[in-house]
Amino acid sequence: MERYNKVKDHVYGTYHKINNELLRTAAFLHTNSVDNCITLLAISRNLPVELAKIAALLHDFAQYAQNCPHKDHARLSSLYAHQYLEQSGLFKMREIDEIGYMIGQHSYKNHIDSPMC
């Protein structure tokens, strides 16, 4: 879970810099809630917990940290995650692709095409 903690520090450190107090609070509360929920889901479904939790941390990053429109947030958060995780040097490309795919698909709640999604 060392990689998870590094990503969490990055995401939450970025959220701390959000000037709008309501948006900053929403970013922390929502991300933490999704992180908790995905942990339970991953454990109950015997899926890779660390990768799921990292996807939870980054799934709305563009919406909160980059103030992008909601309609674009999944795609832009996925692109950001891919770039950030690759630059970190902590992940295999297969893991980066899987996390990026989960994030990119998270707005399509009725279309589940992989166990992680």
Side-chain angles (χ1 to χ4, degrees), residues 9-28:
D9 288 346
H10 170 72
V11 170
Y12 283 12
T14 302
Y15 288 174
H16 271 292
K17 298 174 187 172
I18 297 172
N19 290 326
N20 181 304
E21 184 178 354
L22 291 175
L23 182 61
R24 184 175 56 249
T25 301
F28 281 110

Side-chain angles (χ1 to χ4, degrees), residues 1-114:
M1 293 297 278
E2 183 177 325
R3 298 182 304 172
Y4 164 80
N5 287 323
K6 288 185 181 197
V7 175
K8 184 177 180 181
D9 288 346
H10 170 72
V11 170
Y12 283 12
T14 302
Y15 288 174
H16 271 292
K17 298 174 187 172
I18 297 172
N19 290 326
N20 181 304
E21 184 178 354
L22 291 175
L23 182 61
R24 184 175 56 249
T25 301
F28 281 110
L29 290 175
H30 176 71
T31 302
N32 188 57
S33 294
V34 172
D35 188 354
N36 289 334
C37 289
I38 206 164
T39 301
L40 295 173
L41 285 169
I43 290 169
S44 70
R45 295 176 181 178
N46 200 30
L47 297 170
V49 174
E50 185 181 39
L51 296 184
K53 289 174 70 64
I54 289 168
L57 290 173
L58 292 164
H59 85 284
D60 281 346
F61 188 84
Q63 183 173 346
Y64 292 121
Q66 300 170 339
N67 200 28
C68 81
H70 188 269
K71 67 181 179 68
D72 297 326
H73 86 283
R75 181 180 60 81
L76 294 175
S77 293
S78 175
L79 291 172
Y80 177 82
H82 200 280
Q83 178 185 23
Y84 169 74
L85 296 173
E86 188 173 357
Q87 287 177 352
S88 77
L90 299 172
F91 299 86
K92 297 175 183 171
M93 190 54 67
R94 162 187 64 76
E95 295 172 317
I96 295 169
D97 289 343
E98 188 168 19
I99 291 168
Y101 186 72
M102 285 188 289
I103 294 169
Q105 294 296 106
H106 86 268
S107 291
Y108 305 110
K109 307 287 191 259
N110 294 325
H111 182 76
I112 302 168
D113 58 359
S114 78

